[in-house]
Amino acid sequence: MYLIDSDILIDYVRLYQPSLAFFERLTARDRAISFLSQFELLHGCKTKEDEKIINRFIKKFRVVPFSPHIA
């Protein structure tokens, strides 16, 4: 499993080629984000449409709850 940082997620959303290539190599089981990365992505949404897109994107990941280990 890879705990993917929000910087990499943002690069993917912006269609940055190295990030796209990285995600192509991952299986659905390998993809995880922290609760904090989920928050950061949603906080960056400027419109309701952005929020819908990001929520669909987040569903592709296992969201790891906040913990001392994640912090």
Side-chain angles (χ1 to χ4, degrees), residues 42-59:
L42 289 169
H43 184 70
C45 293
K46 293 181 175 32
T47 66
K48 288 290 183 188
E49 186 60 30
D50 289 347
E51 190 175 325
K52 287 179 189 177
I53 291 167
I54 293 300
N55 275 319
R56 279 195 304 265
F57 179 59
I58 289 170
K59 287 181 182 179

Side-chain angles (χ1 to χ4, degrees), residues 8 12 15 19 22 29 33 42 53 58-59 61 64 68:
I8 304 299
Y12 180 85
L15 304 176
S19 183
F22 171 74
R29 276 188 10 200
I33 61 173
L42 289 169
I53 291 167
I58 289 170
K59 287 181 182 179
F61 300 89
V64 179

Side-chain angles (χ1 to χ4, degrees), residues 2-11 22-23 32-34 37 40-41:
Y2 292 89
L3 186 62
I4 303 167
D5 186 67
S6 53
D7 291 340
I8 304 299
L9 298 167
I10 291 167
D11 283 347
F22 171 74
F23 276 93
I33 61 173
S34 72
S37 291
E40 290 173 340
L41 287 172

